[in-house]
Amino acid sequence: MTKLYLAIPCYNEEEVLRDSAGKLLNKYSTMMSEGKISADSRIVFIDDGSKDRTWEIISELHTENPVFQGIKLSRNRGHQNALLCGLMTLKDKADAVISIDADLQDDINTFDEMVAKYEDGCDVVYGVRSKRETDTFFKRFTAEGFYKILNHMGAKVIFNHADFRLMSKRALNAFSLYKETNIFLRGMVPMIGFKSDIVTYERSERLAGESKYPLKKMLALAWEGITSLSIQPIRMITWLGGIVFGISLIMIIYSLVSFFCGWTVSGWSSLLCSIWAIGGLQLLAIGVIGEYIGKIYMETKRRPRFIVDKVLDDNEQ
Ligand code: UDP
Ligand code: MG
């Protein structure tokens, strides 16, 4: 039976926490009585330096029922870091960990399917939203644009998948080899490989309270996603340099023709050529330097170069 842990980052969630905990407990009890998860499965809240009563509520829940556990961060470090803390702390205790937001916008009834897929041999099971009707138009537009831009920029993410996913102990151990500090989990998890699958669900509205992801934080997350996963923006400079330099060649021809036809005032041709050529060359040079900086950047992450999935050798029966 699967020993399932939940990792739930919470930041100022006093309004939803009790409600969510009740729903999760119900779900867990049902799954336990149906024999889908083991009796020592746990629900773990990670308090991301909340300023309200979040931690008190987590402590109360823990005293009321040991199925609830808590981890308190020393200060607010953001959703991604709080979640990472949860995953890395729980990887040695659980068979599999599901990460989910405290507001339960993601459907907890997909737990069964996720666990079934895990037992079927999947190491990562992504929760994917089928619809976004409950989001405001603005949220939907910005969020879907966000996935598209990320993919164009070379950060491969699963479309409409946020941080609701199941990861096996094996996947978490592989993930722990990624030591980088700028993290964008949903872009990094697909990098580890292994057998994975998706489950789809309809995202509902926040139980209570308001989104802890205002536009500013969303933009910061998008920027973090692009810059921590890809050096595509640097490459765009090289391209731009090439294009500008190409234009400069056309301008040189044009100004020389103008010069020989006597259409110009003196000094115009040389000025025009230098401006375009120098501009293009500078951009190209910055792009080339940028390529190397990008390489250095990727090297400093010291990512694992490979992760072994299966081995057939003498020990294999
Ligand atoms: N969260 C966090 N630290 C932060 C901001 C958010 O741990 O600095 C948590 C929050 O408590 C919630 C999850 O991240 O469990 C997602 O936040 P929210 O539901 O507000 O985001 P949205 O669903 O609006 O994108
Ligand atoms: Mg939410």
Side-chain angles (χ1 to χ4, degrees):
M1 232 185 291
T2 307
K3 188 172 168 190
L4 180 71
Y5 271 59
L6 292 187
I8 311 170
C10 310
Y11 177 58
N12 294 345
E13 297 284 11
E14 60 178 10
E15 281 164 287
V16 296
L17 210 51
R18 282 237 158 236
D19 232 3
S20 300
K23 292 205 164 92
L24 288 169
L25 186 60
N26 264 340
K27 183 70 200 163
Y28 251 49
S29 312
T30 321
M31 287 180 84
M32 281 177 188
S33 61
E34 286 172 351
K36 286 181 178 157
I37 55 174
S38 71
D40 52 358
S41 298
R42 295 285 178 265
I43 300 172
V44 185
F45 298 102
I46 301 106
D47 178 9
D48 184 18
S50 300
K51 293 176 184 66
D52 62 0
R53 292 195 63 253
T54 300
W55 181 247
E56 277 90 273
I57 299 174
I58 296 173
S59 326
E60 285 162 24
L61 287 167
H62 177 64
T63 354
E64 285 160 28
N65 191 335
V67 75
F68 295 115
Q69 298 188 336
I71 301 171
K72 184 174 169 33
L73 298 193
S74 61
R75 69 181 181 92
N76 183 243
R77 299 296 297 130
H79 174 226
Q80 298 286 299
N81 285 311
L83 188 51
L84 182 73
C85 160
L87 295 177
M88 291 302 108
T89 317
L90 304 181
K91 74 177 166 41
D92 302 320
K93 303 182 182 170
D95 293 334
V97 181
I98 294 182
S99 47
I100 186 168
D101 291 349
D103 55 3
L104 299 192
Q105 283 185 286
D106 308 302
D107 187 0
I108 60 173
N109 291 314
T110 50
F111 287 0
D112 306 77
E113 214 182 321
M114 283 184 161
V115 171
K117 294 209 163 161
Y118 160 73
E119 284 176 354
D120 248 18
C122 285
D123 282 292
V124 187
V125 186
Y126 300 97
V128 172
R129 280 167 234 176
S130 52
K131 290 196 202 122
R132 277 186 174 267
E133 273 158 12
T134 51
D135 282 351
T136 59
F137 171 76
F138 180 72
K139 177 95 190 179
R140 189 160 72 206
F141 182 74
T142 48
E144 291 193 344
F146 167 64
Y147 289 102
K148 289 194 181 126
I149 292 175
L150 275 179
N151 274 320
H152 274 297
M153 285 292 188
K156 297 292 169 224
V157 287
I158 310 248
F159 194 67
N160 269 346
H161 157 72
D163 282 309
F164 177 41
R165 74 180 83 80
L166 175 146
M167 290 176 79
S168 68
K169 189 197 270 297
R170 195 160 81 119
L172 289 169
N173 278 327
F175 191 71
S176 68
L177 299 174
Y178 288 78
K179 302 284 184 208
E180 54 212 74
T181 44
N182 297 295
I183 50 162
F184 181 65
L185 295 173
R186 68 192 82 161
M188 290 165 64
V189 174
M191 285 198 281
I192 60 177
F194 292 137
K195 188 173 165 195
S196 66
D197 206 342
I198 60 167
V199 296
T200 51
Y201 65 97
E202 280 176 34
R203 189 163 155 99
S204 51
E205 290 188 39
R206 204 170 220 286
L207 285 177
E210 53 195 35
S211 173
K212 308 291 180 292
Y213 260 100
L215 183 65
K216 200 173 135 221
K217 273 197 184 171
M218 266 197 18
L219 286 178
L221 184 72
W223 189 239
E224 184 70 20
I226 295 167
T227 53
S228 71
L229 290 175
S230 127
I231 51 171
Q232 197 66 23
I234 293 177
R235 243 167 235 155
M236 285 164 65
I237 297 180
T238 318
W239 274 105
L240 192 67
I243 293 169
V244 172
F245 190 67
I247 296 176
S248 85
L249 294 180
I250 300 170
M251 292 310 273
I252 288 171
I253 296 168
Y254 171 65
S255 60
L256 284 180
V257 171
S258 309
F259 176 75
F260 286 114
C261 297
W263 297 333
T264 62
V265 287
S266 76
W268 178 81
S269 310
S270 50
L271 256 179
L272 194 75
C273 296
S274 353
I275 289 170
W276 280 93
I278 297 248
L281 283 175
Q282 275 177 339
L283 277 176
L284 259 179
I286 292 173
V288 172
I289 295 171
E291 271 297 318
Y292 285 95
I293 294 180
K295 290 256 153 47
I296 296 169
Y297 178 54
M298 286 302 166
E299 288 285 343
T300 55
K301 287 181 183 280
R302 307 197 70 83
R303 284 178 177 163
R305 275 169 291 185
F306 51 79
I307 292 165
V308 176
D309 186 358
K310 293 193 174 82
V311 185
L312 289 177
D313 64 7
D314 293 346
N315 301 324
E316 211 58 38
Q317 294 306 311

